[in-house]
């Protein structure tokens, strides 16, 4: 059935609550579980209907945004332009120049390497633009509308949707926080990343709705699953790399603003190594290094231990012991690498229930190989924000507006997640066939 938002009777506007986790999570290219995508949602609503009050509930009182470079693509530019943000973002972009692109290198050769593939982007047409997360967050915070109220240190535990009665045709959603307090809202948006409390409550409620129908186990979508990929990342000051090796290929590509992707493989039949290097613009120029260690046999299993922890310099050096000099240099210069157990969300059958919706990684956390996770979250925020702020969207047709969002965004985001997964296996030489 084609989705449409029909004309409705004049009715009251409503209050929107956004629950998010303001913590630094894994970021690579534009797959970033925490990107303050709720900022874009709030900015979209504020631009198109500033009369809608928005409550932003954050788990923490601040966000640690240091140490992460991200990129956006041409598709995202159009949204930034519509929101009046593009001019600010242009000031922090590191652009890919004409006739440049990612250089994919086979690097598991101790005294050499060979170029496997070299993609070419046309400047300002189809190439990515890198930036530092801290700069991006600063721009978004400056553009938050006055209709937003931020509530720090509010960790959501669950929510309750009161059943509709004749006296309450549009009952509020009750939010239950870890500190024992509660709040109410008319619309709840779950932007709380891969470990989503909103997703958990949504699918538990949907499972109860089935009334014993066991055709599909909806509770399987509550928890994210381990992808079998462990990620190490660190930043290297350009000047440090210059002192170590003035002719390092990452320096040359940094000057031209393009990516250097070294796809590196171990001798083990059950695991693969891959690294990606790209520049980000800061007062002090840095090179962002991301290393993927893949064990396909562990994909879909329960991960024991912390999802995020400190990595070991020595264990990385050992992993790269037999690789080309350029790769070994990058690893040897890592100071305090962070280590991430990469989790993803199973393809959801839906992301909306009544007056509650999921966006971003709460809805479709994916592997980073296609470089599209954060871009998909931006699309979610923009489309849902426009629907919520639509002239015809009053309190009564809110569920219909959310259903339209589900119909438009979820199938596309699921297809991107699938492409990202298969692209990763291809990079690792693990793609079937």
């Amino acid at each position: 059935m084609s989705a449409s938002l029909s004309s409705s009777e004049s009715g009251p506007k409503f209050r929107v609550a956004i629950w998010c986790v303001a913590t630094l999570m894994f970021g690579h290219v534009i797959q970033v579980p925490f990107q303050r995508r709720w900022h874009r949602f709030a900015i979209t609503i504020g631009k198109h209907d500033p009369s809608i009050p928005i409550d932003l509930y954050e788990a923490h009182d601040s966000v640690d945004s240091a140490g992460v470079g991200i990129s956006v693509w041409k598709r995202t530019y159009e949204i930034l332009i519509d929101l009046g943000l593009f001019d600010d973002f242009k000031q922090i972009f590191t652009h890919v120049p004409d006739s440049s692109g990612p250089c994919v290198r086979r690097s598991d050769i101790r005294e050499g390497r060979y170029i496997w593939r070299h993609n070419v982007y046309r400047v300002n047409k189809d190439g990515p633009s890198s930036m530092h997360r801290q700069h991006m967050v600063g721009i978004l915070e400056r553009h938050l509308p006055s209709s937003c109220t931020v509530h720090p240190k509010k960790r959501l535990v669950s929510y309750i949707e009161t059943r509709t009665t004749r006296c309450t045709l549009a009952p509020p959603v009750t939010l239950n926080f870890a500190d024992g307090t509660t709040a109410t809202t008319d619309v709840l948006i779950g932007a709380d990343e891969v470990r989503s409390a909103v997703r958990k409550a949504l699918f538990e409620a949907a499972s109860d709705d089935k009334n014993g129908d066991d055709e599909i186990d909806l509770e399987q979508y509550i928890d994210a699953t381990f992808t079998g990929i462990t990620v190490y990342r660190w930043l290297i000051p350009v000047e440090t790399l210059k002192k170590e090796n003035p002719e390092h290929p990452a320096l040359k590509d940094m000057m031209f603003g393009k990516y250097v992707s070294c796809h590196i493989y171990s001798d083990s039949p059950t695991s693969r190594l891959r690294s990606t290097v790209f520049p980000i613009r800061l007062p002090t120029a840095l090179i962002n290094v991301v290393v993927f260690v893949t064990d396909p046999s562990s994909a879909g299993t329960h991960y024991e231990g912390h999802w995020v922890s400190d990595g070991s310099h020595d264990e990385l050096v050992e992993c790269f012991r037999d690789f080309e000099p350029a790769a070994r240099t990058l690893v040897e210069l890592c100071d305090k690498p962070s280590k991430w157990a990469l989790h993803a969300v199973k393809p959801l059958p839906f992301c909306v229930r009544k007056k509650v919706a999921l966006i971003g990684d709460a809805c479709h956390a994916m592997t980073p190989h296609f470089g599209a996770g954060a871009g998909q979250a931006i699309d979610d925020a923009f489309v849902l924000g426009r629907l919520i702020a639509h002239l015809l969207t009053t309190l009564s047709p809110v569920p219909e507006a959310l259903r339209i969002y589900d119909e438009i965004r979820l199938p596309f985001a699921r297809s991107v997640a699938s492409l990202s997964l298969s692209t990763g296996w291809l990079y690792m030489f693990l793609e079937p066939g």
Side-chain angles (χ1 to χ4, degrees), residues 21 23-38 40 63-72 131-134 136-137 191-194 233 278 288 290 340 342-343 359-362 364-378 420:
V21 182
T23 56
L24 179 64
M25 293 296 288
F26 169 72
H28 164 60
V29 191
I30 61 171
Q31 150 67 21
V32 189
F34 173 70
Q35 265 212 66
R36 294 224 164 179
R37 50 187 60 93
W38 57 260
R40 295 177 178 86
V63 57
D64 176 10
S65 57
V68 177
I70 63 173
S71 296
V72 295
M131 73 187 101
H132 193 277
R133 180 198 303 265
Q134 187 175 22
M136 178 198 68
V137 169
D192 50 339
E193 312 307 339
V194 65
R233 66 176 308 134
F278 64 96
N288 192 72
V290 184
W340 312 78
L342 190 60
H343 285 66
I359 67 172
D361 287 328
H364 46 68
M366 62 186 73
T367 58
H369 309 293
F370 207 55
Q376 291 305 300
I378 293 170
S420 176

Side-chain angles (χ1 to χ4, degrees), residues 201-388:
L202 187 151
F203 278 96
E204 285 177 342
S207 181
D208 292 340
D209 290 342
K210 293 194 310 175
N211 295 322
D213 181 4
D214 296 327
E215 181 178 348
I216 181 172
D217 176 18
L218 293 179
E219 292 191 356
Q220 67 176 299
Y221 302 107
I222 290 175
D223 296 323
T225 60
F226 182 47
T227 62
I229 302 171
T230 304
V231 180
Y232 297 84
R233 66 176 308 134
W234 63 94
L235 296 173
I236 301 175
V238 168
E239 291 303 318
T240 299
L241 185 56
K242 282 182 179 180
K243 291 178 182 179
E244 185 71 22
N245 180 4
E247 300 301 318
H248 196 283
L251 291 173
K252 297 176 183 178
D253 290 315
M254 173 69 178
M255 288 188 295
F256 290 99
K258 66 181 180 181
Y259 295 78
V260 184
S261 297
C262 304
H263 297 265
I264 304 169
Y265 310 96
S266 72
D267 294 329
S268 169
T270 60
S271 64
R272 293 293 187 272
L273 291 151
R274 169 191 166 212
S275 71
T276 301
V277 183
F278 64 96
I280 53 177
R281 179 185 296 176
L282 281 171
T284 300
L286 298 173
I287 295 175
N288 192 72
V289 185
V290 184
V291 172
F292 299 79
V293 179
T294 303
D295 178 6
S297 66
S298 66
T301 63
H302 176 70
Y303 185 82
E304 298 291 343
H306 297 291
W307 289 14
V308 182
S309 60
D310 294 331
S312 166
H313 171 273
D314 291 343
E315 68 182 89
L316 277 174
V317 170
E318 178 62 23
C319 286
F320 283 79
R321 179 177 44 126
D322 295 323
F323 302 118
E324 64 160 305
R328 296 202 307 270
T329 297
L330 292 173
V331 173
E332 289 165 358
L333 291 177
C334 78
D335 183 15
K336 296 179 180 179
S338 55
K339 181 179 179 180
W340 312 78
L342 190 60
H343 285 66
V345 173
K346 290 183 179 181
L348 301 183
F350 52 86
C351 63
V352 164
R353 181 181 178 274
K354 296 182 180 178
K355 297 189 296 178
V356 180
L358 303 171
I359 67 172
D361 287 328
C363 179
H364 46 68
M366 62 186 73
T367 58
H369 309 293
F370 207 55
Q376 291 305 300
I378 293 170
D379 287 359
D380 288 349
F382 183 73
V383 171
L384 183 56
R386 289 298 302 268
L387 287 167
I388 290 293

Side-chain angles (χ1 to χ4, degrees), residues 384-433:
L384 183 56
R386 289 298 302 268
L387 287 167
I388 290 293
H390 194 281
L391 180 64
L392 298 178
T393 306
T394 57
L395 185 56
S396 177
V398 159
E400 183 179 356
L402 298 190
R403 285 195 299 271
I404 294 173
Y405 158 74
D406 185 302
E407 183 174 323
I408 293 172
R409 287 294 309 140
L410 187 58
F412 189 84
R414 282 192 309 228
S415 69
V416 172
S418 177
L419 283 171
S420 176
L421 184 62
S422 61
T423 298
W425 296 138
L426 177 65
Y427 281 154
M428 303 289 182
F429 290 161
L430 292 170
E431 177 71 1

Side-chain angles (χ1 to χ4, degrees), residues 33-65:
F34 173 70
Q35 265 212 66
R36 294 224 164 179
R37 50 187 60 93
W38 57 260
H39 275 88
R40 295 177 178 86
F41 177 69
I43 291 170
T44 302
I45 293 179
K47 174 180 173 61
H48 294 281
D49 189 346
S51 70
I52 298 177
I54 305 171
D55 292 296
L56 307 175
Y57 296 97
E58 286 195 352
H60 302 282
D61 56 355
S62 64
V63 57
D64 176 10
S65 57

